[in-house]
Amino acid sequence: AFLAALPPATRLSTPPPPLPSLLDSALTYLSSLCSTPVTVSVAAVHLSLVSAMAQLAGRQGEPGGVAMRYLARDWRSEDGEREKGSRYCRQVEAMLGVYLQQDTSYTALLARVKVVQEQGVLPVLGEARESELWPTVTRSTVGSVFKTLLAATVTQVKKLTYKSSGDLDSQFCQWLAAVELVARMTSSLKEWRSLAMLGALLKFGRQFLDHFIRQGVPLLERQFKSGARRRTDCLALIKKIQTCTR
């Protein structure tokens, strides 16, 4: 009624932009505010908002970039001390989960897990005790980070199923990548470990081995009968997976 009472010259002459366009604009603006949060709590809320908006806009990869920026920041409290505590661990774990899930393809996710493991976890477990590239990975958060990485890896591995009529070499390469990654993560605990890391390894390591027995072993049996070169590859993979159980 109010708009109808306005003179023609003052009425809106163009319709509002469609909802998808508004969502894209809002998401682009929100993502540009990564440098604004001064505390990790504000960053966590901002990332949740970006994730919700990205789901509505159909841009699932957008939150991953925001999460990576936050994971690469050295968060400090008001007195200049590095953030720590159970709440901070949960916030880092949530950010890492968003970062890992920006692309759910098998190869891409395992590649991101490997990057965080090599550049974030290993330096923290070693003599350096910190990571320059991933400062959110510290001795206080590494248990949560390790659990998140291993859980994401096992979740992807559970998608592997043995297909007798499929590309056996491709299936073998997928298993090989997963076994090498899990073996690397397991061996890193020889440097330094916490109860949280051991608990995660026992829980998800068992799930990994159970799925390998059900879906990986039939593939190895088939490959083992396909020639000397493939037998050598199968034996190498079995030796590699044995290192995960020691």
Side-chain angles (χ1 to χ4, degrees):
F2 173 75
L3 291 177
L6 291 175
T10 60
R11 295 179 188 175
L12 296 176
S13 58
T14 58
L19 182 58
S21 178
L22 290 175
L23 288 173
D24 280 339
S25 298
L27 181 58
T28 300
Y29 175 73
L30 285 173
S31 300
S32 69
L33 300 177
C34 293
S35 60
T36 303
V38 294
T39 67
V40 66
S41 297
V42 174
V45 173
H46 176 247
L47 181 58
S48 298
L49 182 58
V50 170
S51 298
M53 191 68 71
Q55 187 173 7
L56 292 174
R59 290 164 56 180
Q60 303 300 329
E62 192 79 21
V66 176
M68 183 176 181
R69 294 185 185 182
Y70 285 152
L71 290 168
R73 285 182 61 173
D74 185 10
W75 296 102
R76 302 273 176 167
S77 60
E78 294 181 356
D79 56 3
E81 294 294 325
R82 179 168 278 175
E83 290 281 3
K84 57 184 179 181
S86 58
R87 182 181 181 185
Y88 179 60
C89 287
R90 291 193 299 270
Q91 291 166 337
V92 171
E93 185 177 339
M95 290 178 180
L96 182 58
V98 173
Y99 167 71
L100 294 175
Q101 294 300 323
Q102 62 180 306
D103 183 352
T104 56
S105 67
Y106 184 86
T107 303
L109 191 141
L110 260 61
R112 283 193 296 277
V113 170
K114 184 177 180 180
V115 167
V116 180
Q117 171 69 16
E118 297 292 329
Q119 300 179 357
V121 174
L122 290 183
V124 170
L125 300 183
E127 296 181 358
R129 292 194 167 197
E130 62 181 13
S131 170
E132 294 183 2
L133 297 177
W134 301 85
T136 46
V137 184
T138 64
R139 284 287 175 96
S140 66
T141 64
V142 70
S144 297
V145 170
F146 183 84
K147 179 185 71 173
T148 303
L149 295 178
L150 192 55
T153 301
V154 172
T155 298
Q156 285 297 97
V157 167
K158 285 183 177 180
K159 298 177 182 178
L160 298 180
T161 57
Y162 170 59
K163 300 180 180 65
S164 58
S165 59
D167 187 340
L168 299 183
D169 287 338
S170 176
Q171 295 179 53
F172 182 85
C173 288
Q174 288 180 320
W175 271 111
L176 180 61
V179 169
E180 288 180 341
L181 179 56
V182 172
R184 180 63 169 157
M185 296 177 71
T186 302
S187 64
S188 67
L189 270 62
K190 296 178 182 179
E191 299 290 332
W192 185 88
R193 56 198 173 273
S194 65
L195 290 177
M197 299 175 76
L198 291 174
L201 184 60
L202 289 173
K203 176 182 178 180
F204 296 106
R206 180 175 181 176
Q207 295 179 21
F208 179 85
L209 291 175
D210 287 346
H211 192 71
F212 176 78
I213 292 173
R214 290 195 302 269
Q215 302 295 336
V217 170
L219 172 65
L220 294 187
E221 291 176 344
R222 177 79 176 273
Q223 289 286 79
F224 199 80
K225 302 174 183 178
S226 301
R229 183 183 66 82
R230 288 190 172 88
R231 282 198 294 270
T232 301
D233 294 339
C234 290
L235 290 174
L237 189 147
I238 292 173
K239 291 179 179 179
K240 181 69 69 173
I241 204 169
Q242 284 177 336
T243 63
C244 301
T245 62
R246 294 173 183 171

